[in-house]
Amino acid sequence: MLNASLKQLAAQLLEKKISSVELTEVFLKHIRSLNPELNAFITINEEMSLAQAQVADKMIASGQTHPLTGIPVAQKDIFCAKGWLTTCGSKMLSNFISPYDATIIERFNQVGAVNIGKTNMDEFAMGSSNETSYYGPVKNPWDTLAVPGGSSGGSACAVAARMAPAATATDTGGSIRQPAALCGISGIKPTYGLVSRYGMIAFASSLDQGGPMAKSAEDLALLLNVMTGFDARDSTSLQREPEDYARDLDKPLGQLRIGLPKEYFAKGMSASVASAVEAAIAELRKLGATTVEISLPNTQLSIPVYYVLAPAEASSNLSRFDGVRYGYRASDYTDLEDMYKKTRAQGFGAEVKRRILIGTYVLSHGYYDAYYLQAQKLRRLIASDFTEAFKQCDVIMGPTSPAVAFNLGEKSGDPLQMYLSDIYTSAANLAGLPAMSIPAGFGDKNRPVGLHIVGNYFREAQMLNIAHQYQQVTDWHVRAPARLPEA
Amino acid sequence: MTLSVDDVKCVANLARIEISEEESKQVLTQLSGIFSLIEQMQAVDTSHIEPMSHAQDMIQRLREDVVIESDQHVLFQSIAPQVEAGLYLVPKVIE
């Protein structure tokens, strides 16, 4: 049951082999058993989850079914869910019970999916290791000495450890794909604007994008079908016809042209990651794909550009946390300004404060043109690199992360090293392109490796097709950490 | 460029974050490293490139000028620390 695909779970529910309440209880029991060690969830509310499962059972009984009706889904704690504690991994929001649902939560509720709990994450989604959460680090279920990746590490851990069959996540510079790679699961960041950001606590608004995490590409397609779609409440939401992202899963790859950027296969990548990625690409060649060497000449600039733009937007978005309206408030202060300063000093963690300071600096008078404006111009150059590349190929592939999961504490004292974890992922956010990571074997210390696939705008169905075809001839995506039950 | 402890204190003041002398020295070391990475950007000539502020080129969408939200102040105030007569009570900050 814990290892079943979404399709298999839906079939069992439809055939009345199990009820949604029973299924939810199975996963809650598994969470209760593993969460004390892995810390994947910040909030579990069995009463609310089971109430939703009862509603789902009634929907199934009355014939109002959808592929996700009655299926437990873990929700990243960045999404506001009515009546649920919604902390965004922070002390600042440690007492915030949301009075409303984010659009994607609303959509999961409408189809009768069950919220199985709110997953742990880096504070305000800032981090690449899930060590900046106010609620403590998440551990990698493949090796508890290792980080799960960030910032959606709780969601990735929950799926990898089979504590939930699927989870939601968000990606500002790689936060869906990097933890998916490090935990050996599948995750997709859609084209910017396809998934509503309404009710998703903002980090860097021009880069943030919600998306799903699951065991397989087939599961991701079912989740995307629910999560995407126009939302009038999000001014950046795209007005497009609804798509069925599962429609092309079974298509043969045919004459697929895979672009391999020479900059992604240069120095900096670990040998074991390189070897797993090359083996995955060889497998795709066997399925009919051809490869072509391409160049993304501004790859090295993506990290500096990202670390100007994202903190600049974050410094603005997080200015609302000042102790006045909601969230944490310092108890001792002398005047209004002192209250702001003490609240923000005590309520934010070190990484968040660091990024607010960077953002404030690059936006300040005298430095705006040299940093922020220059970064925006380079963002266009980085996006143009992709436009040129897609004239030669259909998709771009490489490693998701330069190395396998590092040890807890290994990089936490050196933010610069931590930032480089996103070297292959952040460019897709800057350009707004869809990108995904799928399991592609194991590297050093037997820790998972992810294959990174970047598609052209709105080519999610094609990317899922490629990933699904790869997953038909490999079994990396069905492997689970050996010590888990039913693995 | 070279940052100083005074720069860090000035930025922290602008960001409304209280920072101690010791913290500002620690932050200075970390920010200096990050800004040395960011400096790579200056080597590229971008004089003829338009800035890209957003991932999608789109015009601001306007909604119809009709009421779509209902009064939910009771629900919203249910999570407020202090409320009286339908109003939020905030700490006294002006003498």
Side-chain angles (χ1 to χ4, degrees), chain A residues 435-473:
Chain A
M436 66 187 298
S437 181
I438 54 171
F442 295 85
D444 296 323
K445 299 179 184 170
N446 210 25
R447 293 176 183 174
V449 173
L451 173 70
H452 193 214
I453 307 173
V454 183
N456 211 336
Y457 297 103
F458 311 115
R459 296 288 171 82
E460 285 79 3
Q462 181 190 39
M463 295 160 65
L464 291 164
N465 164 231
I466 297 163
H468 181 67
Q469 291 303 306
Y470 175 76
Q471 290 178 341
Q472 295 307 292
V473 294

Side-chain angles (χ1 to χ4, degrees), chain A residues 331-339 342, chain B residues 92-95:
Chain A
S331 51
D332 297 313
Y333 46 83
T334 52
D335 55 22
L336 183 63
E337 193 166 303
D338 193 43
M339 185 184 81
K342 285 196 165 70
Chain B
K92 186 176 180 182
V93 289
I94 301 169
E95 293 300 326

Side-chain angles (χ1 to χ4, degrees), chain A residues 93-297:
Chain A
L93 289 175
S94 56
N95 60 0
F96 177 63
I97 293 173
S98 175
Y100 75 106
D101 280 326
T103 296
I104 72 138
I105 298 278
E106 215 171 66
R107 291 188 172 168
F108 278 114
N109 289 346
Q110 277 164 4
V111 299
V114 174
N115 182 349
I116 195 77
K118 305 292 291 295
T119 58
N120 204 345
M121 56 179 285
D122 278 309
E123 183 185 356
F124 287 107
M126 297 180 195
S128 301
S129 64
N130 223 299
E131 292 169 292
T132 73
S133 169
Y134 178 62
Y135 302 90
V138 177
K139 291 180 182 167
N140 192 316
W142 291 93
D143 183 343
T144 52
L145 293 175
V147 301
S151 67
S152 310
S155 291
C157 173
V159 174
R162 308 308 193 236
M163 298 155 95
T168 56
T170 61
D171 193 312
T172 306
S175 287
I176 289 177
R177 294 159 284 156
Q178 189 253 19
L182 270 43
C183 286
I185 61 161
S186 306
I188 184 165
K189 177 198 92 70
T191 305
Y192 181 87
L194 278 188
V195 171
S196 170
R197 291 185 300 109
Y198 178 80
M200 185 177 120
I201 296 165
F203 162 15
S205 306
S206 82
L207 305 164
D208 296 341
Q209 185 59 192
M213 285 177 152
K215 295 187 283 294
S216 69
E218 185 180 39
D219 287 357
L220 292 179
L222 296 175
L223 293 156
L224 263 194
N225 282 349
V226 173
M227 293 175 76
T228 54
F230 174 66
D231 179 12
R233 295 177 297 190
D234 172 1
S235 64
T236 58
S237 176
L238 296 173
Q239 285 177 294
R240 291 175 60 81
E241 287 298 310
E243 281 190 63
D244 175 8
Y245 293 101
R247 69 179 186 269
D248 292 338
L249 290 176
D250 295 325
K251 271 191 183 173
L253 294 191
Q255 299 303 308
L256 177 75
R257 294 169 304 161
I258 299 171
L260 303 176
K262 61 182 180 187
E263 293 82 4
Y264 286 15
F265 293 88
K267 60 175 184 176
M269 193 189 344
S270 97
S272 73
V273 169
S275 150
V277 168
E278 278 158 15
I281 290 164
E283 203 64 56
L284 288 161
R285 283 198 196 97
K286 282 191 216 163
L287 292 170
T290 55
T291 53
V292 54
E293 185 184 275
I294 58 163
S295 178
L296 298 171

